[in-house]
């Protein structure tokens, strides 16, 4: 493991931590209300180990095959929780349930059943977030349930053997993230009225984490600002 790479990650983590702290102060929130999820997709196992050594406790992956191979190489670092954050095919749900602690991208009923079966077979507890589509354009490829369908999907998860954690969303491209995250916060309030334990609100990435904190995000998914530009290979 490169000492230079460790120093780079440490400096980037410190810079992001400074941004989160400032955003919390501006929003009148306590810093411990917001959890950083470092998105390690496309980066090697060595970076994951370095991040764990630097105190990172939550990591995010969005490709099942890549994540499974990475975590099989030494297992998940002690004290680290893994979040699946990518669009999920139902045929991959069983495999994801073997290593994920949280699946943030549940956008349809079929996934709930598939993940429940996978978690049962693996003997694992699993927390699910409903991914909300905040993009008014119908050809959005980022995934997510229509906001009108979110309460029913949340009810279904809550009635399953799995835990309903809350909601997740990605701000639409070329749109004001403030407005998008405000809509998400209102929808989260509706879900909380029926499911008060569904307190997780995953929103905000490297470019819009401040706006997400302003609107109540409890989890931020940050990759580029910490790990740098994605490697050219996929």
């Amino acid at each position: 493991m490169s000492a230079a790479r460790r120093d780079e990650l440490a400096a980037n983590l410190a810079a992001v931590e400074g941004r989160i702290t400032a955003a919390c102060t501006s929003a009148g929130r306590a810093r411990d209300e917001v959890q950083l999820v470092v998105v390690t997709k496309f980066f090697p196992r060595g970076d994951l180990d370095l991040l764990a050594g630097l105190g990172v406790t939550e990591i995010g992956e969005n490709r099942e095959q890549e994540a499974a191979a990475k975590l099989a190489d030494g297992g998940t670092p002690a004290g680290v929780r893994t979040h699946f954050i990518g669009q999920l095919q139902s045929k991959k749900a069983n495999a994801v349930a073997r290593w994920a602690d949280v699946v943030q991208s549940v956008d349809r009923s079929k996934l709930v059943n598939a993940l429940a079966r996978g978690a049962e077979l693996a003997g694992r507890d699993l927390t699910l977030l409903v991914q909300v589509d905040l993009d008014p354009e119908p050809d959005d490829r980022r995934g997510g349930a229509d906001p009108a369908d979110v309460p029913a999907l949340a009810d279904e998860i809550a009635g399953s053997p799995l835990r309903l954690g809350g909601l997740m969303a990605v701000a639409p491209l070329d749109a004001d993230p403030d407005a998008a995250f405000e809509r998400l916060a209102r929808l989260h309030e509706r879900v909380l009225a029926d499911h008060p334990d569904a307190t997780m609100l995953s929103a905000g990435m490297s470019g819009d984490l401040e706006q997400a904190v302003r609107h109540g995000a409890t989890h931020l998914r940050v990759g580029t600002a910490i790990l740098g530009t994605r490697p050219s290979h996929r």
Side-chain angles (χ1 to χ4, degrees), residues 1 17 22 46 57 65 78 81-82 85 91 95 102 112 126-127 129 131 148 156 167-168 213 221:
M1 295 181 187
E17 172 61 32
T57 59
Q65 190 172 1
R81 290 204 315 164
T82 57
I85 61 174
K91 65 182 180 181
V102 181
V112 179
L126 194 57
T127 296
L129 306 188
Q131 182 175 354
E156 181 173 356
L167 304 182
M168 181 273 256
V213 169
R221 309 178 306 275

Side-chain angles (χ1 to χ4, degrees), residues 78-98:
V80 172
R81 290 204 315 164
T82 57
H83 297 244
F84 184 83
I85 61 174
Q87 289 185 270
L88 180 60
Q89 297 175 313
S90 56
K91 65 182 180 181
K92 294 283 189 179
N94 184 50
V96 167
R98 296 174 191 166

Side-chain angles (χ1 to χ4, degrees), residues 5-224:
R5 179 59 168 164
R6 183 188 185 282
D7 291 345
E8 177 186 12
L9 293 175
N12 291 344
L13 276 169
V16 168
E17 172 61 32
R19 290 176 60 189
I20 297 172
T21 299
C24 288
T25 299
S26 178
R29 300 179 62 191
R31 172 61 188 89
D32 62 8
E33 293 178 18
V34 181
Q35 178 68 56
L36 173 63
V37 180
V38 180
V39 181
T40 50
K41 62 183 182 182
F42 303 134
F43 287 89
R45 171 66 195 223
D47 281 350
L48 172 56
D49 290 329
L50 288 172
L51 289 166
L54 291 166
V56 169
T57 59
E58 313 272 332
I59 60 135
E61 290 282 342
N62 80 332
R63 293 187 175 187
E64 190 284 322
Q65 190 172 1
E66 177 196 348
K70 190 182 300 183
L71 297 172
D73 183 14
T76 304
V80 172
R81 290 204 315 164
T82 57
H83 297 244
F84 184 83
I85 61 174
Q87 289 185 270
L88 180 60
Q89 297 175 313
S90 56
K91 65 182 180 181
K92 294 283 189 179
N94 184 50
V96 167
R98 296 174 191 166
W99 54 262
D101 297 296
V102 181
V103 177
Q104 296 202 9
S105 49
V106 177
D107 58 5
R108 57 196 185 281
S109 178
K110 190 175 182 180
L111 288 178
V112 179
N113 297 327
L115 287 165
R117 288 194 300 270
E120 181 180 9
L121 288 171
R124 290 173 55 82
D125 295 326
L126 194 57
T127 296
L128 307 187
L129 306 188
V130 177
Q131 182 175 354
V132 184
D133 184 1
L134 296 176
D135 197 324
E137 296 299 325
D139 61 348
D140 172 36
R141 294 183 296 174
R142 292 187 165 197
D146 186 289
D149 297 332
V150 167
L153 186 53
D155 289 345
E156 181 173 356
I157 295 170
S160 80
L162 307 177
R163 175 176 178 261
L164 172 65
L167 304 182
M168 181 273 256
V170 180
L173 294 171
D174 303 319
D176 178 10
D178 252 319
F181 292 148
E182 182 179 7
R183 296 197 306 274
L184 179 66
R186 290 200 300 267
L187 184 57
H188 191 216
E189 289 176 358
R190 288 180 57 194
V191 171
L192 282 170
D194 293 325
H195 306 286
D197 292 333
T199 55
M200 295 174 68
L201 186 62
S202 176
M205 300 189 292
S206 293
D208 55 17
L209 66 84
E210 286 84 2
Q211 293 93 329
V213 169
R214 186 179 306 136
H215 292 289
T218 63
H219 289 70
L220 306 171
R221 309 178 306 275
V222 179
T224 303

